[in-house]
Amino acid sequence: MSIQVFGLPVSRGVAIGRAVLVASSRVDVAHYFVPASQTRREIDRLRRARDAVAAELSALQRDLPTEAPPELSALLDVHLMLLHDDALAEAIMHWILERHYNAEWALSAQLEVVARQFDEMEDEYLRGRKADMEQVTERLLRALARDGMPSLSSVAQPARDFAGEDPLVLVANDIAPADMLQFKRSVFTGFVTDVGGKTSHTAIVARSMDIPAVVGAREASRLIRQDDWVVIDGDSGVVVVNPSPIVLEEYRFRQRQSELERARLNRLRHTPALTLDGENVELLANIELPSDAQAAVDAGAVGVGLFRTEFLFMNRGGVLPSEEEQFEAYRSVVQTMAGLPVTIRTVDIGADKPLERMSPQELRHEHSLNPALGLRAIRWSLAEPAMFRQQIRAILRASAYGKIKLLLPMVVHLREIRQTMELIKRARQQLLDKGHSIGDVEVGAMIEVPAAVMMLPAFFRHFDFVSIGTNDLIQYTLAIDRADEQVAHLYDPWHPAVLKLIADTIACAQQYGKGVSVCGEMAGDPAFTELLLGMGLRSFSMHPAQIAGIKQRVLRADTRKLQSAVEHTLQADDPQNFWAAACDRVEDTVEIALPY
């Protein structure tokens, strides 16, 4: 039976494939593919975990006090029986051998299948055995964690061969940033999550992967089953499960049309971004890993406007990268960009991106309080001065190989600026004393909270440029958790207060002769291109996949006509509708001749 699930569209296009479910668990589960040569090792890990849990349960049963109720011993018998169930073991091995899942993923995937079977049973007693299965699975997962996990670098090699002939789409309650990095170059052609908002981390990475995605789909992971055929409509936020042949063919037609449009836009990648009235616009790329730099070059970016370095710190089992390792990563990006500028943001840890090295108490703090208002970004870096000094030294050393700008996240207080500038000064002197070459590094600040906008005149006494992080700026201005689908409808980039803060930042930077760019999601959203141009913005930073579409809008824009429309839009109660009407009045339709 075909059903539809509705969520929030966060990455455009259509994906069609068989569902791969990532089941949620009270125990953290690593999800990665293993090459065929290492599937037997995963099966051996699973057997060792089973034997360890069996030994634990047998010891518990042997040591039961004489006054213990007989039901307790019977319960342990049930758990031991589940552990040694041959059919269950074969099903788990199927996921490893056929789908190339790691042991933890295979175990949680089969739990999802079995749990659904229990839910559909009519007998209340049998339905209750689902809890026994969950408890046994969690014991196995803990045993696997104790046994140790092979390094991701040795096993995480997703390949088209793992998926067989059918394309795959990922379905999950949520996807952690660490898992998103793992899936970034995987076989998945799209994904769906139960939770999340349009600017949640999951959504941002989906756009950087340039694959269709729907988040905040509530019951998706419960309604969709393993291997169901799924259509993800990233334009409208609709997920179609087991579509009819007619619906499937319609979406396949849309896929082909989308591919043709992408190919057409791709021909613009080497065309200079000049408006109709001759204004040069800088289109930069946001990247997360050194390997992303080549995609920026291929997309025609004129530099990297945001290198999110926190992803260098993830998927490492809590071990921070050394100064040397960071230096090599930054130098690699600079050399790939071949003389084009690279803006490196210092680590933005906290909120939805905690580190594995955080203690259980710190992680509980992250999730039980409001992490967006806690120890994150520059606050976290200043609280870890040894780590921060290492990162600054690595960035300064890499500046000898090309143009680097250093960007500080979530700066609010002048004392934070003074502390950071002192750290940079000391790091520079340490490197010079050791004979290292250092380039001329500009230092800038992310504008992410309203207080930073109000402090701009003071900021510009210390900083060479600013970059507007619209995702957090909207979140903090409107008091909206941008990852919470329950309030996602209130997250509004068109809110008059948000637009005024952005316009004020651009105007203040121009007044002081400082550089200003937008690196948040608004920069890559075509709905805002002309508005930002009319505000005076000339530097946009976005995911490489978005550059061609934004360039097309730039080439068709006349900033002289847009300025007066922007002034009136900023005074309107409903800026979005006013802007649309104003553009209809003042803009001529201009078709540019694309190079064929």
Side-chain angles (χ1 to χ4, degrees):
M1 181 181 71
S2 179
I3 62 172
Q4 290 186 335
V5 183
F6 298 90
L8 301 172
V10 295
S11 187
R12 297 184 170 219
V14 172
I16 302 171
R18 288 197 178 274
V20 173
L21 265 70
V22 175
S24 57
S25 169
R26 285 172 285 181
V27 178
D28 287 339
V29 177
H31 301 92
Y32 54 87
F33 291 104
V34 295
S37 61
Q38 296 181 21
T39 54
R40 286 295 168 186
R41 179 170 69 176
E42 290 301 294
I43 291 173
D44 289 341
R45 290 181 64 227
L46 196 60
R47 285 174 176 156
R48 288 196 299 271
R50 182 196 62 189
D51 293 344
V53 172
E56 289 174 7
L57 294 176
S58 296
L60 284 172
Q61 194 172 45
R62 184 179 60 249
D63 297 337
L64 280 175
T66 55
E67 66 272 16
E71 292 83 6
L72 192 53
S73 180
L75 180 63
L76 291 173
D77 280 334
V78 170
H79 286 195
L80 283 165
M81 181 184 68
L82 288 171
L83 268 179
H84 294 292
D85 187 302
D86 290 338
L88 181 63
E90 288 178 9
I92 296 170
M93 285 192 289
H94 164 81
W95 296 113
I96 297 174
L97 293 171
E98 301 299 324
R99 283 293 185 83
H100 294 256
Y101 290 3
N102 65 303
E104 291 87 347
W105 191 358
L107 186 58
S108 60
Q110 187 58 27
L111 171 62
E112 184 75 15
V113 173
V114 175
R116 290 177 187 271
Q117 293 172 351
F118 277 118
D119 287 339
E120 293 169 357
M121 291 178 179
E122 294 183 6
D123 187 281
E124 184 177 351
Y125 173 80
L126 291 176
R127 283 202 306 272
R129 301 284 63 79
K130 172 183 172 182
D132 295 324
M133 187 66 207
E134 290 173 339
Q135 290 163 13
V136 170
T137 299
E138 291 194 8
R139 280 186 177 273
L140 284 167
L141 288 170
R142 290 191 177 97
L144 284 167
R146 291 194 299 269
D147 183 56
M149 182 180 71
S151 67
L152 290 178
S153 61
S154 68
V155 298
Q157 302 172 20
R160 183 66 250 168
D161 294 342
F162 296 167
E165 295 182 0
D166 294 334
L168 302 178
V169 298
L170 189 65
V171 182
N173 176 258
D174 195 11
I175 306 174
D179 273 343
M180 285 303 300
L181 283 182
Q182 190 55 53
F183 294 143
K184 192 162 185 179
R185 288 173 179 80
S186 70
V187 298
F188 299 112
T189 59
F191 66 80
V192 184
T193 62
D194 297 343
V195 301
K198 286 192 174 184
T199 55
S200 62
H201 178 76
T202 306
I204 292 172
V205 176
R207 285 188 284 272
S208 75
M209 294 165 69
D210 195 24
I211 62 173
V214 172
V215 303
R218 297 296 180 93
E219 298 294 311
S221 67
R222 189 181 66 84
L223 296 171
I224 301 171
R225 298 173 182 266
Q226 294 280 7
D227 282 336
D228 275 349
W229 275 102
V230 174
V231 172
I232 300 173
D233 186 340
D235 297 312
S236 63
V238 176
V239 179
V240 185
V241 186
N242 293 322
S244 66
I246 294 175
V247 171
L248 192 60
E249 185 52 41
E250 179 184 343
Y251 276 108
R252 282 179 172 151
F253 174 76
R254 285 179 53 184
Q255 265 189 325
R256 293 190 293 270
Q257 293 297 106
S258 178
E259 289 166 4
L260 288 172
E261 177 63 15
R262 289 188 187 192
R264 191 174 75 92
L265 286 176
N266 193 44
R267 295 184 174 93
L268 290 174
R269 64 186 183 277
H270 298 307
T271 303
L274 282 173
T275 64
L276 292 174
D277 55 322
E279 290 286 324
N280 184 56
V281 178
E282 187 179 52
L283 298 182
L284 306 165
N286 295 344
I287 66 171
E288 282 131 15
L289 295 171
S291 54
D292 297 337
Q294 188 58 52
V297 173
D298 295 341
V302 295
V304 171
L306 177 64
F307 181 0
R308 297 183 174 103
T309 61
E310 53 271 15
F311 293 96
L312 296 175
F313 291 68
M314 294 181 175
N315 277 348
R316 303 176 57 88
V319 180
L320 297 180
S322 66
E323 177 182 326
E324 196 64 29
E325 184 180 346
Q326 290 187 67
F327 161 67
E328 292 295 342
Y330 305 145
R331 181 175 67 172
S332 168
V333 173
V334 170
Q335 290 178 330
T336 300
M337 298 310 294
L340 297 173
V342 176
T343 301
I344 301 176
R345 185 177 70 186
T346 60
V347 62
D348 186 4
I349 287 299
D352 61 345
K353 292 171 286 187
L355 286 184
E356 294 96 330
R357 73 188 289 263
M358 290 180 172
S359 68
Q361 182 179 1
E362 288 175 310
L363 286 172
R364 283 197 298 273
H365 175 82
E366 284 290 312
H367 294 291
S368 61
L369 300 178
N370 190 334
L373 302 179
L375 190 66
R376 59 166 297 195
I378 194 66
R379 302 168 184 175
W380 190 85
S381 293
L382 291 173
E384 296 270 358
M387 178 282 302
F388 197 28
R389 280 194 296 270
Q390 274 193 341
Q391 182 171 38
I392 291 172
R393 286 197 299 265
I395 293 171
L396 292 177
R397 287 172 59 191
S399 70
Y401 296 85
K403 183 172 177 55
I404 282 181
K405 297 181 178 182
L406 194 156
L407 183 60
L408 307 175
M410 203 176 164
V411 177
V412 177
H413 297 282
L414 288 175
R415 65 174 175 272
E416 294 169 336
I417 299 174
R418 296 189 187 102
Q419 283 181 270
T420 304
M421 292 303 185
E422 183 62 27
L423 278 169
I424 294 172
K425 180 180 177 182
R426 290 183 182 179
R428 178 183 290 275
Q429 192 57 52
Q430 288 174 351
L431 293 173
L432 291 175
D433 291 344
K434 292 180 179 180
H436 289 286
S437 297
I438 300 173
D440 183 17
V441 177
E442 295 183 2
V443 180
M446 291 282 291
I447 303 301
E448 300 172 279
V449 294
V453 180
M454 300 176 73
M455 291 291 292
L456 279 171
F459 277 22
F460 284 139
R461 292 200 296 269
H462 302 275
F463 294 122
D464 301 300
F465 67 98
V466 292
S467 187
I468 305 172
T470 53
N471 306 341
D472 274 336
L473 184 61
I474 297 167
Q475 171 175 256
Y476 292 123
T477 302
L478 304 182
I480 298 293
D481 183 347
R482 61 190 178 94
D484 186 348
E485 76 281 1
Q486 296 182 79
V487 292
H489 63 288
L490 298 174
Y491 183 92
D492 182 13
W494 286 99
H495 193 285
V498 171
L499 297 183
K500 188 174 189 309
L501 288 170
I502 295 171
D504 288 349
T505 302
I506 294 169
C508 190
Q510 291 174 338
Q511 179 185 344
Y512 281 83
K514 303 287 186 175
V516 58
S517 67
V518 170
C519 63
E521 291 301 296
M522 286 175 68
D525 188 339
F528 294 97
T529 304
E530 288 87 353
L531 180 71
L532 293 171
L533 287 170
M535 289 180 180
L537 187 72
R538 297 295 181 267
S539 181
F540 297 67
S541 190
M542 67 206 75
H543 302 297
Q546 297 170 319
I547 289 176
I550 298 302
K551 184 179 287 188
Q552 183 182 51
R553 302 297 289 250
V554 169
L555 294 171
R556 293 174 172 175
D558 187 328
T559 61
R560 294 168 302 185
K561 294 181 179 180
L562 295 172
Q563 287 171 2
S564 62
V566 166
E567 292 172 6
H568 291 94
T569 300
L570 293 175
Q571 305 300 320
D573 293 334
D574 185 356
Q576 185 172 9
N577 286 332
F578 186 93
W579 175 252
C583 286
D584 287 341
R585 289 194 302 269
V586 303
E587 287 187 337
D588 296 325
T589 302
V590 180
E591 291 295 333
I592 57 173
L594 298 180
Y596 285 96

